Amino acid sequence: MNAHEFRRRGKEMVDYVADYLEGVEGRQVYPDVEPGYLRPLLPTAAPQEPETFEDIIKDVEKIIMPGVTHWHSPYFFAYFPTASSYPAMLADMLCGAIGCIGFSWAASPACTELETVMMDWLGKMLRLPAVFLAGEAGEGGGVIQGSASEATLVALLAARTKVTRCLQAASPGLTQATIMEKLVAYASDQAHSSVERAGLIGGVKLKAIPSDGKFAMRASALQEALERDKAEGLIPFFVVATLGTTSCCSFDNLLEVGPICREEDVWLHVDAAYAGSAFICPEFRHLLNGVEYADSFNFNPHKWLLVNFDCSAMWVKKRTDLTGAFKLDPVYLKHSHQDSGLITDYRHWQLPLGRRFRSLKMWFVFRMYGVKGLQAYIRKVAKL
Ligand SMILES: *Cc1c(COP(=O)(O)O)cnc(C)c1O
């Protein structure tokens, strides 16, 4: 496909997408297909000779669409919602066109810098404490992760490194293995399964704190678990509080849990994956009170803020907690500005090396809706 054909096909694709979304209500929301439906409909191997765009697009309707679950149908009530808007889709197209891999500042300065500014914009929309914002001369900052699961894992791994180094500094004889054996993370029994998974991947114990009658984690239950475990010689190091749990949208009591974490010097991560978008409305902002106690905070604009998957917004109070935990500097990734203190190399903030230009989606959406438009959208959905 050359640029000439791309112009034509691109316009056709935009029409196809607009037709699809305008008519999605008329499609059956959950497909009738049986497992394995697709294989017999496809050739057994990739074609040797090139095929035409027409043939492919015909097969989208014939083969793919019958097996699609239509998440944007108004009749879709499964799981949680996932965000979608035309500005975000167009921005993603541009992201594909630029096609940069923005792992460091030098790898694409705009990719890094727009992300930092967009995360500050979004943080201000939520009225996050200024310590979480990069532009406030503080030590914090935001990063776009692929998913809330990654954000929780990154936070857990950073906390694990931090506590390990701290204990080793105090007792140089301690091995990492001895420490790891004793580390304990906590989350309420209502926390998302990705939290338990972070514990599994991170190789640490994760204990479920029994929630109260309103499915909230409270001070007493957490304190009890911490005391019991410390008495047994274990080392509490990480707590995940959930704002808006997956099963019933309950809220852990941050104002109780936060001070305990501070007192015990335990990393507090706040997972507001689904509900977090609502905090841009002043009338819902009180649900975020207590975030000032958190070391890291995360929510998914890709669930409820009109930015298509993937866009999971994560902030930390001390960016050196992440960069200090995950930094490696092979010679082929070095660049002349990296130690200037003026730039961010996001590769140190995440698990993969490569990263897409995802902040374009935020930029397009924030500008085309405005904060007022986004608030109006949240209010429309939240209306009881
Ligand atoms: C949806 C959800 C997750 C998982 O989100 P991913 O971005 O898919 O990893 C985690 N925690 C809560 C509270 C959620 O609602």
Side-chain angles (χ1 to χ4, degrees):
M1 188 183 290
N2 56 22
H4 178 72
E5 190 185 358
F6 177 71
R7 285 176 205 278
R8 186 153 68 92
R9 298 310 186 187
K11 282 158 197 155
E12 287 171 19
M13 180 57 92
V14 166
D15 280 337
Y16 181 83
V17 168
D19 287 344
Y20 168 71
L21 288 171
E22 274 188 335
V24 70
E25 184 171 354
R27 295 187 187 245
Q28 182 177 317
V29 64
Y30 184 67
D32 276 330
V33 295
E34 295 297 325
Y37 91 96
L38 187 59
R39 187 177 281 279
L41 300 177
L42 292 175
T44 51
Q48 290 298 323
E49 301 297 330
E51 298 184 46
T52 64
F53 185 78
E54 266 114 355
D55 287 342
I56 302 171
I57 204 83
K58 260 189 243 148
D59 281 347
V60 170
E61 247 342 294
K62 212 168 86 196
I63 300 176
I64 301 301
M65 283 301 177
V68 168
T69 301
H70 300 287
W71 282 60
H72 296 288
S73 163
Y75 301 113
F76 179 89
F77 298 112
Y79 311 113
F80 40 81
T82 190
S84 182
S85 69
Y86 290 121
M89 280 183 254
L90 290 174
D92 237 358
M93 206 168 150
L94 179 59
C95 167
I98 294 173
C100 64
I101 310 292
F103 46 76
S104 67
W105 181 85
S108 194
C111 178
T112 294
E113 295 198 13
L114 186 65
E115 182 161 334
T116 307
V117 177
M118 286 307 102
M119 290 301 294
D120 275 6
W121 278 17
L122 185 56
K124 284 179 187 167
M125 278 185 227
L126 301 169
R127 286 192 280 144
L128 273 188
V131 287
F132 287 104
L133 307 183
E136 299 283 334
E139 297 174 24
V143 58
I144 304 174
Q145 304 284 2
S147 64
S149 312
E150 278 169 80
T152 305
L153 177 62
V154 162
L156 179 136
L157 296 177
R160 194 187 77 180
T161 303
K162 192 174 182 177
V163 69
T164 303
R165 285 187 187 152
C166 185
L167 292 169
Q168 285 180 324
S171 328
L174 274 181
T175 64
Q176 189 179 2
T178 320
I179 296 170
M180 287 259 301
E181 239 173 41
K182 295 185 179 160
L183 293 180
V184 194
Y186 305 84
S188 111
D189 55 12
Q190 300 299 309
H192 191 266
S193 58
S194 55
V195 178
E196 190 176 344
R197 202 130 174 276
L200 280 177
I201 298 170
V204 295
K205 286 181 249 327
L206 185 107
K207 298 204 178 178
I209 305 296
S211 52
D212 72 1
K214 289 183 167 169
F215 303 105
M217 177 160 61
R218 304 293 302 274
S220 50
L222 177 63
Q223 191 80 60
E224 209 179 291
L226 292 173
E227 296 308 329
R228 192 178 342 106
D229 287 346
K230 282 194 296 182
E232 285 177 19
L234 298 173
I235 307 168
F237 80 108
F238 187 68
V239 170
V240 178
T242 308
L243 301 181
T245 57
T246 308
S247 48
C248 65
C249 209
S250 61
F251 282 67
D252 288 337
N253 194 321
L254 256 195
L255 288 168
E256 287 184 6
V257 167
I260 296 178
C261 293
R262 182 168 287 184
E263 180 94 349
E264 302 280 342
D265 203 13
V266 161
W267 183 301
L268 175 61
H269 176 72
V270 175
D271 171 12
Y274 163 54
S277 298
F279 306 150
I280 66 165
C281 295
E283 68 271 32
F284 300 126
R285 173 58 179 77
H286 67 96
L287 294 165
L288 185 59
N289 288 350
V291 72
E292 55 275 16
Y293 294 106
D295 295 280
S296 50
F297 167 68
N298 167 251
F299 85 99
N300 286 347
H302 70 230
K303 275 183 171 158
W304 194 9
L305 209 58
L306 294 164
V307 183
N308 294 52
F309 191 85
D310 52 340
C311 180
S312 185
M314 178 189 195
W315 289 266
V316 287
K317 226 178 231 168
K318 278 188 79 178
R319 47 185 179 261
T320 49
D321 285 340
L322 298 187
T323 55
F326 306 130
K327 194 165 180 169
L328 276 184
D329 259 328
V331 65
Y332 44 83
L333 295 177
K334 281 189 190 300
H335 61 91
S336 52
H337 295 286
Q338 66 177 27
D339 300 318
S340 66
L342 295 174
I343 53 103
T344 299
D345 284 338
Y346 275 124
R347 66 192 168 95
H348 303 307
W349 298 52
Q350 60 173 20
L351 299 177
L353 173 63
R355 55 205 327 278
R356 303 191 310 125
F357 201 161
R358 288 179 289 213
S359 55
L360 284 171
K361 290 186 287 199
M362 299 169 88
W363 194 46
F364 277 46
V365 168
F366 296 167
R367 292 181 65 184
M368 291 205 68
Y369 283 85
V371 178
K372 285 187 181 161
L374 293 171
Q375 288 170 336
Y377 174 73
I378 295 287
R379 285 179 184 131
K380 185 175 142 209
V381 178
K383 204 163 141 195
L384 298 174

